[in-house]
Amino acid sequence: MQGIILAGGYGTRLQPITLGVSKALLPVYDKPMVYYPLSVLMLAGIRDIQIISAPEDVRAFQRLFGDGSELGLTLTYAEQDKPRGIADAFLISADHIGDDSVALVLGSSIFHGAKFGTLVNAAAQKVDGCVLFGHPVRDPERYAVGETDEDGTLLAIEENPEKPRTNLAITGLYLYDNKVVDIARGLQPSERGELEITDVNRTYLESGGAKLITLGRGFVWLDAGTQDALMDASAYVQVLQHRQGVRIACVEELAWRLGYIDRDAFYRLGSRLAKSPYGRYIMEVAETG
């Protein structure tokens, strides 16, 4: 399975903060926002990942991650010159996807939960159709919401419903088989001129190939796309890390624990950041295991 992080767009809901920097490079407490979606793909067992961003931001992502080899990953970069919708990612990354299945995660999506890694890894092992992830929200009218049967088969998708039948918002993590590229090619732009991910999902729904996994109690999904949401996400990460003594979405630690890099390489990554608490944490974990 190939991975895509969609970090394009102008971050208009976060302006003026994003006038000079990509939204996905803003800090969520102690690390850039993009670390969180990258950690999701790593937990899914995906090592070949393409980051899509605006042309002016590509170099910043390259400066942050390089080719990914220091994390045991293969990272490539692609440009989205203007917002054309989430589904446009499959057209941009068609060569990257090739004949494989694909996981797409939005650059502002943050997932956390004790068994989230196990859940997403299992879901990514064999995708036949599409696998979406739903999370209960108190304001479902703001989202695309899904309705499922007892087996998790998706029965209906409603976009910004006035009277939602469920409170399961469809999150910013999507798993698809290889048909998604052709489906995206066949889409017509919506009234706002974008290729809508909901139209992709409805195509799978109509063929009976859509599944929705509910992230219930014990799981957290945050979309850090507004000032308040960004502050809430940072506060959440700060509280958990201080209380538990572990780092959320520490991609260096993930790379080591997944066996992508050895202990010495892990330690070296921390030593470069030794003046920061983040770097000292990596060094301490490398030394103590």
Side-chain angles (χ1 to χ4, degrees):
M1 173 171 277
Q2 304 296 307
I4 299 172
I5 299 174
L6 181 56
Y10 299 125
T12 51
R13 294 181 298 166
L14 281 163
Q15 288 178 353
I17 303 173
T18 49
L19 291 177
V21 63
S22 168
K23 173 176 65 176
L25 293 172
L26 296 176
V28 176
Y29 186 51
D30 61 346
K31 62 190 73 70
M33 189 187 298
V34 70
Y35 275 43
Y36 297 87
L38 177 59
S39 71
V40 169
L41 297 180
M42 293 173 69
L43 287 168
I46 300 170
R47 300 178 69 173
D48 196 345
I49 298 165
Q50 187 160 82
I51 298 175
I52 300 174
S53 71
E56 61 268 24
D57 296 321
V58 169
R59 287 189 179 182
F61 286 104
Q62 289 175 323
R63 187 165 60 248
L64 181 62
F65 294 125
D67 63 3
S69 58
E70 290 188 336
L71 295 171
L73 305 174
T74 299
L75 297 181
T76 55
Y77 303 88
E79 298 179 359
Q80 187 183 51
D81 58 358
K82 65 178 182 179
R84 292 191 179 89
I86 296 173
D88 184 48
F90 304 116
L91 305 184
I92 295 171
S93 295
D95 290 340
H96 168 69
I97 297 168
D99 297 326
D100 211 341
S101 55
V102 61
L104 169 66
V105 60
L106 303 186
S108 60
S109 283
I110 297 170
F111 295 87
H112 184 248
K115 296 182 179 180
F116 177 73
T118 302
L119 180 68
V120 71
N121 187 277
Q125 293 307 305
K126 185 177 181 181
V127 176
D128 183 13
C130 79
V131 180
L132 310 175
F133 296 83
H135 191 275
V137 295
R138 64 180 179 181
D139 49 356
E141 64 279 358
R142 294 181 53 236
Y143 302 91
V145 297
E147 182 181 359
T148 68
D149 62 17
E150 295 178 354
D151 297 324
T153 300
L154 195 58
L155 301 176
I157 299 173
E158 294 182 286
E159 186 78 39
N160 305 118
E162 292 184 6
K163 297 180 179 179
R165 293 200 293 266
T166 78
N167 68 339
L168 286 179
I170 296 176
T171 69
L173 173 61
Y174 315 87
L175 310 181
Y176 297 101
D177 62 18
N178 193 254
K179 296 175 185 176
V180 71
V181 177
D182 287 336
I183 291 172
R185 286 192 180 115
L187 294 181
Q188 295 297 317
S190 64
E191 292 181 357
R192 59 178 183 170
E194 296 188 359
L195 301 181
E196 304 291 350
I197 196 68
T198 296
D199 291 337
V200 172
N201 297 335
R202 283 191 175 128
T203 300
Y204 279 102
L205 173 64
E206 290 167 1
S207 66
K211 180 179 180 181
L212 184 70
I213 295 176
T214 300
L215 301 175
R217 184 170 296 180
F219 295 99
V220 172
W221 166 60
L222 302 170
D223 179 6
T226 67
Q227 281 91 349
D228 286 342
L230 186 62
M231 292 293 291
D232 288 344
S234 292
Y236 174 82
V237 172
Q238 180 192 36
V239 168
L240 258 66
Q241 290 188 169
H242 282 189
R243 290 186 178 180
Q244 297 181 356
V246 297
R247 302 262 164 175
I248 298 172
C250 178
V251 293
E252 297 88 351
E253 183 179 4
L254 264 178
W256 173 58
R257 295 195 182 278
L258 291 169
Y260 298 167
I261 59 176
D262 62 23
R263 187 187 298 268
D264 289 342
F266 178 41
Y267 184 88
R268 285 195 300 272
L269 290 173
S271 66
R272 296 178 186 177
L273 311 172
K275 291 186 178 181
S276 72
Y278 186 89
R280 292 194 293 273
Y281 168 82
I282 291 174
M283 295 165 66
E284 180 181 348
V285 173
E287 289 174 339
T288 64

